[in-house]
Amino acid sequence: MRDLWIAPAVPRPVSLSPPAAAGSARRPGRRWPPALLVALLLAQMAFAMGTTAVRQTPTIDEPVYAGAAAEYVHEHRLRHNPEHPPLGKLVIGAGVALTDPHVDPGFAGDQGQLGRHLLYGSGNDPWRLMLWARLPMIALTLSFGWVVFAFARELAGLAAGSAALALYCFSPDVIAHGSLATLDVPAAGFTLTSAWLVWRARRRPRLYVPLAGVALGAALATKMSTLPAVPVMAVLAVVSVRRACGAGRRRAVVAASGVVLAAVAVVWVTYLMVDPRLRWAPEQHVPVVHGLRGLLVEVMPFPEAYRDGMRVQFGLENRPWQGFLFGRLYDGSLWYYLPAALLVKTPLGMLVLWAGGAAAVAGFRRLRPAAPYVLAVPLVLLAAAMQGARDFGTRYAVFLPLFLAVAAGCVLVARRRWVSVGVVVLIAFTAVSSVRTYPFYLPYSNEAFGGPDRTREYLHDSNVDWGQDLGRLADRLRERYPGERVWLVYKGGGVPSAYGVEASDPRRVPLREVRGLLAVSDSAAAKATGRLAELIGGSRPVDDVGHSITLYRR
């Protein structure tokens, strides 16, 4: 047992518990300012997410997840939305259950129809149900902020932890997607937690190796896109165990196998929580997958529902999707889409600190042992995401603001006054940029690209308009355009009439009959061709709603 307590490879300032300043043991009151700063940062993030969640109508994916969550919680069966595992939806379901919704067990329809039926066709209040579906995700997002803080603090000290937490709390992407009942932020947070726990296993492998496997399993049980992280975590577990124990290769490999087995076990437990009998009757078509992908699916040690979900995901990757980048509408996908979109959607100060943090972690000798834990996983996940066929938003790379916030905090290892001042200035610049976009975080873009007013010129879908502003549209029409004839082209998951938007589809009548106010979702406008392009071309823009819906006069 003595070999479990060998000192870590990094110097004392980057140990798991950084030493307190001299005399701090005699003056415990000096601990309250850092704790207060952490509390204030998380409180402002909670305020931003909570007040944003209250005003936003369902995005495209949220009704699907809410409907599946209600089905899991009330009927204990697996039928809808197999392309995503159940854990994240069970978290959403915890909030949905608190509203005591009416669920129709005899409803027959696809997963999109199921969600809309729950929200609009079952006598439930869609505002109240969606808010409660989002609240557990908001709480989970805040808890991952603590992981960001703890990880950076252990690597480079208290100031680094505070800087990392500040970047996390002011990230527009994290606030935007952390305030929704979706799965991107929880999957990223569980992955970061696993990397942190594997790092901690360099000191106490018997405790932290299994916990890292549990966190990795939570990520796998939330989104399948985290699967590329599994081999990276296994290798890091080998490194940590060998560093902690001086163990031979065989023992280290056994420990790494423990990470993978724990992760697999969590996935199985998640499915058993939904249905202990693991009944699986997919509502949607499950494609047949051939070749290497098909073999990969067959050998995965997961429930059949999980493997069918992988088949559905591979089927989605084979569809002919359209993308929109820098004003260009294109078929298929672009390998550089995510880096380009991140350049638009990330605050400029944050971009600088990300680059500096990555250089610091890789370049400083005292931090170099931590480089694989902080940088390898996001690089592998980003490389995998860049190969995807769906260029729909930076949410597919939302793990970067988490991991790179930790790296950015490590810049403060360079103990130079100008470095500290520079970090404070860049964080302040990031905070101002983030606060200025409140409460319109989904359409955020940085100042170099004109801010949220102009994001629609460069990007579409969940980067700008994901259907979140039906409520604001109803308010705008009532306040500024009462009694006018309204035409609407809406791209989202809500039902306009449920929020007081009474409008007709201009694409279903002759062009000459379309007169009055034309409201068009910016995602639809970005991909406008044919009839819709003609309608927009013959109109003049007169108003904007939430930077996601444009009003035209025709």
Side-chain angles (χ1 to χ4, degrees):
M1 291 294 292
R2 291 179 59 193
D3 57 357
L4 296 180
W5 298 93
I6 294 177
V10 291
R12 181 176 295 273
V14 294
S15 65
L16 297 179
S17 299
S24 61
R26 295 186 300 273
R27 289 177 289 176
R30 293 186 61 183
R31 292 180 177 272
W32 72 264
L36 179 61
L37 176 62
V38 170
L40 288 174
L41 287 171
L42 291 176
Q44 76 79 29
M45 189 184 199
F47 174 83
M49 290 192 294
T51 53
T52 299
V54 167
R55 294 293 310 277
Q56 293 188 149
T57 47
T59 59
I60 290 175
D61 287 356
E62 287 182 292
V64 174
Y65 300 149
E71 186 176 71
Y72 294 166
V73 173
H74 290 83
E75 301 179 42
H76 298 286
R77 61 174 176 169
L78 296 158
R79 192 160 67 94
H80 290 92
N81 196 231
E83 60 265 36
H84 295 298
L87 182 58
K89 287 171 284 186
L90 286 172
V91 176
I92 293 169
V96 171
L98 292 175
T99 68
D100 192 23
H102 179 266
V103 178
D104 184 0
F107 178 79
D110 63 28
Q111 58 188 22
Q113 293 167 339
L114 173 68
R116 286 191 293 274
H117 183 70
L118 174 70
L119 288 171
Y120 308 109
S122 301
N124 299 311
D125 180 350
W127 283 110
R128 181 169 177 265
L129 194 148
M130 277 315 311
L131 175 60
W132 280 93
R134 291 165 175 168
L135 288 177
M137 287 303 179
I138 291 174
L140 200 56
T141 302
L142 293 171
S143 70
F144 294 137
W146 182 85
V147 175
V148 168
F149 170 76
F151 199 173
R153 182 188 60 183
E154 291 175 5
L155 294 179
L158 182 60
S162 301
L165 179 61
L167 286 181
Y168 175 82
C169 289
F170 287 111
S171 168
D173 265 352
V174 174
I175 294 172
H177 295 286
S179 59
L180 299 175
T182 54
L183 310 177
D184 302 288
V185 171
F190 286 131
T191 306
L192 175 72
T193 303
S194 181
W196 172 52
L197 293 170
V198 170
W199 165 256
R200 296 200 114 202
R202 292 166 65 91
R203 272 205 161 186
R204 299 181 64 186
R206 290 190 178 181
L207 173 62
Y208 290 114
V209 165
L211 290 177
V214 170
L216 179 60
L220 299 179
T222 300
K223 283 199 76 174
M224 296 172 186
S225 59
T226 57
L227 279 166
V230 174
V232 182
M233 293 299 187
V235 171
L236 292 177
V238 170
V239 173
S240 290
V241 172
R242 295 195 70 179
R243 175 64 190 86
C245 307
R249 184 179 304 171
R250 191 171 188 178
R251 184 176 173 185
V253 169
V254 169
S257 301
V259 169
V260 176
L261 290 174
V264 171
V266 169
V267 174
W268 277 91
V269 168
T270 302
Y271 279 87
L272 289 168
M273 288 171 63
V274 176
D275 183 0
R277 291 185 286 174
L278 288 179
R279 293 166 295 178
W280 171 229
E283 174 276 331
Q284 66 192 81
H285 170 69
V286 178
V288 177
V289 181
H290 301 284
L292 184 60
R293 287 179 170 181
L295 179 62
L296 176 66
V297 172
E298 290 296 332
V299 301
M300 284 288 179
F302 297 126
E304 183 65 20
Y306 193 102
R307 288 186 282 127
D308 272 355
M310 293 181 65
R311 295 183 179 100
V312 172
Q313 287 285 5
F314 285 136
L316 292 172
E317 289 294 302
N318 292 329
R319 288 187 181 180
W321 302 102
Q322 280 189 318
F324 181 82
L325 181 64
F326 294 135
R328 173 194 168 197
L329 181 65
Y330 57 90
D331 294 320
S333 60
L334 302 174
W335 69 267
Y336 56 84
Y337 171 82
L338 276 176
L342 286 163
L343 192 64
V344 177
K345 297 281 293 176
T346 306
L348 296 173
M350 189 176 292
L351 286 172
V352 174
L353 287 171
W354 282 3
V361 172
F364 280 97
R365 183 178 179 182
R366 60 188 289 186
L367 292 174
R368 208 168 292 152
Y373 300 83
V374 178
L375 301 179
V377 174
L379 285 175
V380 168
L381 290 178
L382 180 61
M386 288 170 62
Q387 305 306 311
R390 289 164 280 180
D391 291 352
F392 292 160
T394 54
R395 63 190 179 91
Y396 290 103
V398 78
F399 47 83
L400 286 177
L402 281 71
F403 279 90
L404 294 184
V406 174
C410 294
V411 170
L412 292 171
V413 166
R415 300 193 180 279
R416 300 287 188 274
R417 183 177 180 81
W418 66 269
V419 172
S420 300
V421 172
V423 168
V424 170
V425 169
L426 290 171
I427 290 176
F429 187 23
T430 298
V432 169
S433 183
S434 177
V435 170
R436 285 180 63 191
T437 200
Y438 172 84
F440 308 114
Y441 291 101
L442 271 173
Y444 171 85
S445 66
N446 62 45
E447 290 74 12
F449 293 92
D453 286 337
R454 299 186 58 189
T455 312
R456 61 178 175 267
E457 299 176 18
Y458 308 105
L459 300 165
H460 80 315
D461 208 82
S462 61
N463 286 319
V464 181
D465 162 43
W466 217 13
Q468 71 270 18
D469 280 324
L470 274 181
R472 290 190 176 100
L473 175 61
D475 292 342
R476 185 67 54 83
L477 294 175
R478 184 176 58 253
E479 293 166 3
R480 297 188 185 178
Y481 309 97
E484 291 205 33
R485 179 67 185 274
V486 179
W487 304 88
L488 175 65
V489 179
Y490 169 68
K491 184 178 186 295
V495 173
S497 59
Y499 301 96
V501 178
E502 300 298 336
S504 304
D505 189 338
R507 297 166 295 183
R508 297 182 179 180
V509 300
L511 197 65
R512 63 179 180 275
E513 295 183 16
V514 182
R515 292 289 183 269
L517 205 61
L518 175 63
V520 183
S521 291
D522 288 335
S523 288
K527 300 171 69 173
T529 57
R531 181 67 175 279
L532 180 57
E534 192 174 355
L535 283 166
I536 294 174
S539 309
R540 59 183 176 86
V542 294
D543 207 345
D544 166 84
V545 178
H547 310 300
S548 73
I549 299 174
T550 301
L551 300 182
Y552 301 86
R553 177 71 67 188
R554 182 174 172 80

